[in-house]
Amino acid sequence: MNQQENIARWKQAAEGIDWFKVPTITLDDSHAPLYRWFSDGVCNTSYNSLDRHVAAGNGDRTALIYDSPVTARVEHISYAQLLDRVSRFAGALKELGVNKGDRVVIYMPMVPEAAVAMQACARIGAVHSVVFGGFAANELASRIDDCEAKLVISASCGIEPGRLVAYKPLLDQAIEYCQHKPEKCIILQRPELAAEMTAGRDLDWSEVESSGQACECEPLAATDPLYIIYTSGTTGNPKGVLRDNGSHMVAMNWSLENIYGIDPEDVFWAASDIGWVVGHSYIVYGPLIRGATAIMFEGKPVGTPDAFTYWRLIERHKVKAMFTAPTAIRAIKQQDPEGRGPEDFDLSSLKHLFLAGERADPDTIHWAERQLDIPVIDHWWQTELGWPAVANCAGLGLFPVKYGSSGKCVPGFDVVVLDEGGKELPAGEMGALAIRLPLPPGTLPSLFKNDQGFIDKYLSEHPGFYNAGDAGFIDDEGYVHIMSRTDDVINVAGHRLSTGRMEEVLASLKDVAECAVFGVNDDMKGQMPLGLLVINAGVDRPVEDIEQDAVAIVRQEIGPVAAFKRAVVVKRLPKTRSGKILRATLQKIANGEEYKVPATIDDPAILDEIAERLFS
């Protein structure tokens, strides 16, 4: 599609948003390669999420369902109720001196107040930066310092299976570390654990909200920032991805309809966290802009209380489409390998299951398809992009699924594969994935206070393209195959091999629930692949036999060139809280190198377990 057709598409899509001043400029390329969309428009994201639906007579429609198996609470919040809470909390923030352009750090669990805080910031033009609840104090401090937060909004605790995570001591420690001290902290006191308050600085959420006077929406430029989100695992100089107001709303509304097939009043469940981009795009903002119902889930795919939690919620809330990570499905499969769970629930409302966050191996997709008897759709995007770039779009009409592919380019994204010299590669050849500029609405316009850093990191390696940092290929039918991060392509005796392809082969073994493959140093070949395997519950075969099967199948399916000679069965794999396997950390452990425990890790004890298995 040529540029004029692309611009026309987004001009039409912008009509789905209520503007205080309708933009006359669709694409502003006056500062290329820093492109802006709808640059003369005036709008407000909170108005489009809440006020316009209430004004249209839909105030009684459910905006947000809070379902918390860890507290045994289920709450339905209507658009009118959410608007009332958001407008009063926004008024309270203004009373505290928070104004347009000020930054607010939100460090909260998956509770409705987190959505209230985010929407309240959007209402007055304050720029929020959500930090995953329970993040280490030094990581929280680096983000408070980088964005120079005027205020921090937090809670006394988060709730994990079998334990409470006290947030307030982490926040107090972070502020001690900070060069830039926030003026105030608002603390939600949860009944499970009360926090000690710091006099003169800390304020009680309930008192702040109850005293707030409802305020109207602040008119904002479409290009004004809505939020900053720091990419996971950053240290030293945090990388703050910016999202603006106008183009973000256009992308959210368009993608809910055309990618996910969601109409107003439908129930959409993104089983993620507000600390990640998925929670921003498809819990707090996208569904509400669309006029649909979002689910805020405080729980885990297994262990809260069992491996049937997803099916229970789908039945309870009549979910039409769900989004989760492949690792969540693998966790369920590991506990329930025969897939008995869905038999006991009415899942007839569910039309599509979408997977993203890491590569979805064909075996995981096949398993989910067999259990649910609906399309299971892999798709690909990144924190920086904010919404899917490669997908099979349910709202536009599904094309045949090709296992191992994330789909085709979403309209607006021109994904290509480049060689090391920046030349476009023909179909079927693996190289670096890149997206031709300009990126569509809703993607990052830059990094926070760091335009040059944005250009250097993403735009300089291949001028005219955004460097995605992933490796893959596009086949002769236009299907995009994302194989691995470019740093997960290993070099074995001069052969460039994808660890993602090896994981795909290993996952096809009937006893394997999930796996990870990464390169370890080898004096002779440079690198050799090592596979870690987690086996399904109830498997009683000797682990040595399973490990031998793993070596054999990689040799059979990929060939001796892979030099895959070692597989090790482990109890579990280390992951971020969003479900990504920490392959780079595993690689350092296997190489005997020093490593820093990632701030995003779900359970640090797993690293010692892995080391013990590798070196015992």
Side-chain angles (χ1 to χ4, degrees):
M1 177 173 286
N2 65 40
Q3 189 65 276
Q4 290 307 311
E5 290 174 328
N6 189 41
I7 291 171
R9 173 197 296 107
W10 297 120
K11 182 178 181 180
Q12 182 179 10
E15 295 173 4
I17 297 304
D18 286 10
W19 301 86
F20 299 150
K21 176 181 179 293
V22 177
T24 61
I25 300 169
T26 303
L27 175 64
D28 183 347
D29 59 2
S30 59
H31 295 92
L34 302 177
Y35 296 90
R36 304 308 298 263
W37 292 91
F38 316 114
S39 56
D40 63 340
V42 179
C43 58
N44 185 281
T45 296
S46 181
Y47 182 88
N48 277 273
S49 300
L50 300 170
D51 301 67
R52 69 168 177 165
H53 303 306
V54 174
N58 296 316
D60 292 337
R61 181 185 298 167
T62 300
L64 194 64
I65 299 170
Y66 169 55
D67 195 311
S68 171
V70 296
T71 63
R73 283 183 58 201
V74 178
E75 184 180 352
H76 290 71
I77 303 169
S78 71
Y79 273 91
Q81 290 169 327
L82 190 56
L83 172 59
D84 177 62
R85 293 194 67 182
V86 166
S87 62
R88 285 190 289 110
F89 195 73
L93 292 180
K94 292 185 78 169
E95 284 294 314
L96 291 170
V98 178
N99 294 303
K100 175 183 173 182
D102 288 336
R103 273 80 64 198
V104 175
V105 163
I106 298 172
Y107 182 65
M108 296 190 80
M110 287 289 286
V111 292
E113 286 79 7
V116 170
M118 294 168 73
Q119 286 279 352
C121 289
R123 193 169 191 83
I124 61 175
V127 183
H128 66 68
S129 180
V130 180
V131 179
F132 189 97
F135 244 25
N138 62 315
E139 297 291 339
L140 175 58
S142 71
R143 287 149 173 78
I144 293 171
D145 272 340
D146 189 72
C147 74
E148 299 180 324
K150 191 169 193 175
L151 183 83
V152 176
I153 302 172
S154 188
S156 58
C157 69
I159 304 172
E160 297 286 330
R163 67 188 177 109
L164 298 177
V165 180
Y167 287 3
K168 186 58 166 40
L170 293 168
L171 173 59
D172 291 340
Q173 189 178 8
I175 292 174
E176 282 186 31
Y177 294 156
C178 283
Q179 300 299 309
H180 171 90
K181 308 289 186 185
E183 294 175 11
K184 298 286 183 183
C185 297
I186 300 174
I187 307 298
L188 174 70
Q189 293 280 21
R190 303 193 74 183
E192 292 77 13
L193 179 69
E196 288 188 23
M197 305 289 270
T198 301
R201 187 196 72 192
D202 296 346
L203 304 169
D204 184 277
W205 171 290
S206 60
E207 294 175 6
V208 170
E209 183 180 349
S210 62
S211 67
Q213 299 295 310
C215 74
E216 295 301 314
C217 295
E218 182 80 20
L220 303 171
T223 53
D224 281 341
L226 171 66
Y227 68 77
I228 305 162
I229 185 167
Y230 289 95
T231 53
S232 58
T234 41
T235 55
N237 298 311
K239 188 175 64 184
V241 170
L242 273 181
R243 200 80 65 210
D244 67 16
N245 276 276
S247 81
H248 174 255
M249 286 192 287
V250 172
M252 291 300 97
N253 193 54
W254 189 92
S255 63
L256 258 295
E257 177 182 7
N258 293 289
I259 297 177
Y260 298 108
I262 294 297
D263 293 320
E265 298 190 65
D266 287 340
V267 180
F268 184 72
W269 180 18
S272 185
D273 189 281
I274 55 159
W276 311 127
V277 69
V278 177
H280 288 60
S281 294
Y282 295 118
I283 299 175
V284 175
Y285 289 119
L288 303 189
I289 291 167
R290 184 77 184 129
T293 298
I295 292 179
M296 180 169 271
F297 171 62
E298 189 181 24
K300 302 284 186 184
V302 297
T304 58
D306 51 34
F308 308 144
T309 298
Y310 276 13
W311 321 136
R312 193 174 291 115
L313 262 74
I314 291 166
E315 178 185 63
R316 179 183 296 157
H317 303 305
K318 303 294 184 285
V319 175
K320 182 180 180 182
M322 181 182 182
F323 178 132
T324 192
T327 192
I329 300 301
R330 286 194 285 267
I332 295 168
K333 175 174 171 278
Q334 196 267 339
Q335 294 289 312
D336 180 26
E338 298 302 316
R340 303 293 184 199
E343 297 173 0
D344 297 327
F345 299 93
D346 178 4
L347 306 181
S348 58
S349 66
L350 190 67
K351 306 304 180 188
H352 305 100
L353 174 65
F354 291 86
L355 302 177
E358 59 174 343
R359 197 158 173 272
D361 58 280
D363 190 61
T364 296
I365 295 177
H366 283 306
W367 185 87
E369 285 176 335
R370 288 195 301 271
Q371 313 321 315
L372 301 174
D373 196 27
I374 59 170
V376 177
I377 301 168
D378 185 17
H379 62 329
W380 173 81
W381 49 302
Q382 302 174 323
T383 298
E384 291 88 344
L385 300 178
W387 61 289
V390 176
N392 194 344
C393 298
L396 296 176
L398 294 175
F399 44 76
V401 169
K402 183 174 285 192
Y403 299 103
S405 166
S406 297
K408 299 181 181 181
C409 295
V410 170
F413 289 95
D414 186 2
V415 180
V416 299
V417 180
L418 304 177
D419 66 14
E420 292 177 356
K423 179 183 175 184
E424 286 191 49
L425 290 169
E429 288 197 27
M430 191 166 78
L433 290 170
I435 305 172
R436 198 183 311 274
L437 299 178
L439 295 175
T443 56
L444 81 168
S446 189
L447 298 176
F448 178 60
K449 290 187 176 179
N450 193 3
D451 287 347
Q452 190 58 50
F454 170 59
I455 292 169
D456 291 346
K457 177 165 180 59
Y458 297 102
L459 308 182
S460 61
E461 185 172 356
H462 303 297
F465 295 91
Y466 164 88
N467 178 20
D470 281 313
F473 65 92
I474 301 174
D475 67 22
D476 56 6
E477 294 182 296
Y479 287 81
V480 181
H481 300 251
I482 290 97
M483 302 309 295
S484 53
R485 296 293 294 174
T486 47
D487 50 13
D488 287 338
V489 174
I490 62 175
N491 195 318
V492 180
H495 299 283
R496 287 170 55 81
L497 299 169
S498 165
T499 56
R501 172 60 182 145
M502 296 184 211
E503 289 178 2
E504 188 177 289
V505 170
L506 292 174
S508 69
L509 289 169
K510 62 181 177 61
D511 293 331
V512 173
E514 58 180 342
C515 58
V517 177
F518 48 92
V520 295
N521 296 337
D522 182 79
D523 292 338
M524 183 69 69
K525 293 179 180 283
Q527 284 184 302
M528 293 276 281
L530 169 63
L532 301 184
L533 315 173
V534 177
I535 59 176
N536 287 316
V539 173
D540 57 4
R541 293 178 62 209
V543 294
E544 295 81 5
D545 291 356
I546 297 170
E547 291 168 351
Q548 289 171 13
D549 288 350
V551 171
I553 196 171
V554 172
R555 185 179 181 89
Q556 175 186 318
E557 295 294 327
I558 299 179
V561 68
F564 186 84
K565 297 180 180 179
R566 190 181 181 204
V568 179
V569 171
V570 296
K571 287 197 299 185
R572 48 192 184 148
L573 294 172
K575 299 172 186 174
T576 66
R577 292 183 181 92
S578 64
K580 288 187 173 67
I581 296 169
L582 293 162
R583 291 173 178 83
T585 305
L586 288 171
Q587 187 175 49
K588 288 182 178 179
I589 292 172
N591 284 327
E593 299 171 3
E594 286 190 19
Y595 64 90
K596 179 183 177 184
V597 176
T600 53
I601 193 168
D602 194 28
D603 185 353
I606 301 175
L607 301 179
D608 292 332
E609 295 173 10
I610 298 290
E612 186 176 337
R613 282 290 292 135
L614 291 180
F615 299 113
S616 60

